[in-house]
Amino acid sequence: MANLWGGRFKEATDASAYRFNQSIFFDKRLYAEDIEGSVAHATMLGKCGIIPSSESEEIVSELKKIKADIESGVLMISEDAEDIHSFIEAVLTERIGDAGKRLHTGRSRNDQVALDMKLYTGKNIKEKDELLKELQSVLLSIMENNTDTFMPGFTHLQKAQPVTLAHHMGAYFEMFIRDRQRLSDILKRMDQCPLGAGALAGTTYGLDRSLTASLLGFEGGPTRNSMDSVSDRDYLIDYLEALSLIMMHLSRFSEEIIIWNSNEYSFVEIDDRYSTGSSIMPQKKNPDIAELVRGKTGRVYGALMSLLTTMKGIPLAYDKDMQEDKEVSFDAMDNTADCIREFTGMMKTITFNKDVMEKSAKNGFTNATDAADYLVKKGVPFRDAHSVVGRLVLKCAMENKALDDLKLEEFKEESDVFEEDIYEAISMKTCVESRLTAGAPGREKMMEAIGYYREYLKN
Ligand code: ARG
């Protein structure tokens, strides 16, 4: 396949150097965006009288056929081409002759690839947003069913105070709200069209860049500086950072699911459809999906570091280093999508062992703070109350029981302020229900949060 720039050369590129320079293997996935950009460019060239409108129409209709042919499998993208831009232009020219050769008037592959990548990234961001929304709706239904499912809340992975499963899931729901906000911020910031920036310095043709920008759906119009336009990959770095944060959240969540699924915790049972077995140990049911999500997080962080490093030494404007933006970004985009999808499936089918969770909250002295607060409410200074309850906890720990198991006389041995109502005061239900500050797990507050999440998902 002839390349786009043979005229100046006496000799053909060395075969392995050609191979080294090619990007078709990975930029072929940009075919739809490349065609979309070319359709807009050709339309604008025709409207502005830069090429005859009959040729502009011919180009546009053939480009649409090329797209349909690629999608139906009639036209295979040839891996002999240097890149997707050369391939599509070559096919177009082969099919319609001279008109095809006029498509690249007033355009460079530099603004072309900048546009293709932006269009592709924009669509990909919207897909991620949809996937996160589906995950959030699964979390919301878990919350709705578990406002009374008590479990220990942890700090230092030590049982701390009782919460509910709804409250715990709500924490992740919030993280995904922020992730989705980040995605929409990126979309806003990148909403300017680089097409028409040319190689780096604009062109001498009277292009109507506002027209191409609006044909391509950019609400922010054309980019303001042609050099920046062809060398900007900030939006991609922004996106890789947003993907890294999504993965960090999924990885923390996975870590918890793995712990909860362990024999020792048994808070959850991952469904058969989302677990795997061992080739040697017949009893094993492993949380591979969660482990892979945790594992792939490193890979997505790697993409972010990779592109940041690629971009850090690049003088204005376009340099070929920037071709390295694609493989790592596509890998991060694909893997994050897979992770959200599989994680969502796993959460949709997971079983929560509610009684185990509640028992665990009871046995871990998560109501010790509430026992101290009980004394405080009856006039004991908090520091003294803390010490009284600390001694009771020590006694229970030695006798292997919960605070609730102590007899009233035993409570009274440490402080005669204790009365029969201590049992009610430190019951799991009271402990959770009386936590009614904004953002706390008490039922009333949790129902407000759930109401907010319902509205949020509707919009
Ligand atoms: N494959 C190139 C890339 O991905 C396309 C732009 C080529 N431009 C150029 N001047 N060689 O960046």
Side-chain angles (χ1 to χ4, degrees), residues 5 21-24 26-27 30 82-85 108-114 117 199 233 318-326:
W5 36 263
N21 188 50
Q22 277 181 297
S23 53
I24 189 76
F26 46 87
D27 67 16
L30 298 175
E82 181 182 339
D83 53 30
I84 190 64
H85 326 296
S108 154
R109 276 184 296 166
N110 298 351
D111 57 343
Q112 190 176 357
V113 76
M117 236 4 224
R233 295 294 182 274
Y318 176 86
D319 297 74
K320 196 62 174 256
D321 320 37
M322 289 163 69
Q323 177 166 290
E324 288 297 308
D325 63 354
K326 292 178 194 61

Side-chain angles (χ1 to χ4, degrees), residues 208-224:
D208 183 349
R209 292 193 58 206
S210 300
L211 176 59
T212 36
S214 87
L215 288 173
L216 291 163
F218 286 92
E219 285 180 14
T223 47
R224 281 183 300 271

Side-chain angles (χ1 to χ4, degrees), residues 5 24 36 44 53 71-72 79 95 124 145 171 178 183 189 195 204 230 321 326 337 350 353 377 429 435 446:
W5 36 263
I24 189 76
E36 202 182 329
M44 180 276 296
S53 56
E71 282 164 5
S72 67
E79 297 208 336
R95 290 186 179 186
N124 199 278
N145 295 325
R178 292 195 293 275
L183 295 180
R189 205 165 26 248
L195 193 60
T204 55
V230 292
D321 320 37
K326 292 178 194 61
I350 205 164
N353 297 328
K377 283 174 196 149
K429 199 170 164 60
R435 292 190 145 72
M446 198 60 226

Side-chain angles (χ1 to χ4, degrees), residues 77-106:
I77 296 177
S78 162
E79 297 208 336
D80 293 338
E82 181 182 339
D83 53 30
I84 190 64
H85 326 296
S86 326
F87 174 76
I88 288 170
E89 194 181 315
V91 174
L92 183 72
T93 303
E94 199 180 283
R95 290 186 179 186
I96 63 171
D98 280 355
K101 293 188 198 160
R102 286 194 227 286
L103 169 62
H104 212 52
T105 314

Side-chain angles (χ1 to χ4, degrees), residues 3-51:
N3 53 38
L4 300 173
W5 36 263
R8 190 233 178 276
F9 291 79
K10 284 201 210 134
E11 282 193 81
T13 320
D14 171 83
S16 100
Y18 182 78
R19 166 75 187 73
F20 183 67
N21 188 50
Q22 277 181 297
S23 53
I24 189 76
F25 315 111
F26 46 87
D27 67 16
K28 61 182 175 188
R29 72 159 80 190
L30 298 175
Y31 77 88
E33 290 72 26
D34 197 72
I35 289 174
E36 202 182 329
S38 291
V39 165
H41 185 65
T43 305
M44 180 276 296
L45 290 177
K47 287 245 160 72
C48 295
I50 299 166
I51 63 172

Side-chain angles (χ1 to χ4, degrees), residues 59-187:
I59 294 172
V60 168
S61 93
E62 198 55 44
L63 282 170
K64 290 181 178 164
K65 275 192 211 131
I66 292 176
K67 180 165 185 265
D69 289 349
I70 292 174
E71 282 164 5
S72 67
V74 168
L75 175 64
M76 295 290 285
I77 296 177
S78 162
E79 297 208 336
D80 293 338
E82 181 182 339
D83 53 30
I84 190 64
H85 326 296
S86 326
F87 174 76
I88 288 170
E89 194 181 315
V91 174
L92 183 72
T93 303
E94 199 180 283
R95 290 186 179 186
I96 63 171
D98 280 355
K101 293 188 198 160
R102 286 194 227 286
L103 169 62
H104 212 52
T105 314
R107 187 174 69 169
S108 154
R109 276 184 296 166
N110 298 351
D111 57 343
Q112 190 176 357
V113 76
L115 172 72
D116 292 4
M117 236 4 224
K118 238 186 192 184
L119 290 175
Y120 185 89
T121 303
K123 288 181 203 166
N124 199 278
I125 290 177
K126 288 177 192 149
E127 273 169 36
K128 289 293 177 304
D129 188 64
E130 271 307 307
L131 289 173
L132 286 176
K133 190 175 172 188
E134 278 163 40
L135 173 54
Q136 283 180 318
S137 55
V138 170
L139 295 184
L140 180 59
S141 67
I142 298 175
M143 278 187 252
E144 288 171 329
N145 295 325
N146 290 287
T147 50
D148 295 320
T149 305
F150 304 121
M151 63 176 288
F154 297 84
T155 60
H156 314 272
L157 202 53
Q158 305 274 319
K159 291 177 195 178
Q161 290 174 343
V163 294
T164 62
L165 180 56
H167 194 241
H168 200 119
M169 291 296 119
Y172 285 101
F173 196 101
E174 290 287 340
M175 294 180 220
F176 298 127
I177 290 180
R178 292 195 293 275
D179 287 332
R180 293 182 64 197
Q181 279 168 347
R182 250 185 296 277
L183 295 180
S184 90
D185 290 348
I186 298 169
L187 281 177

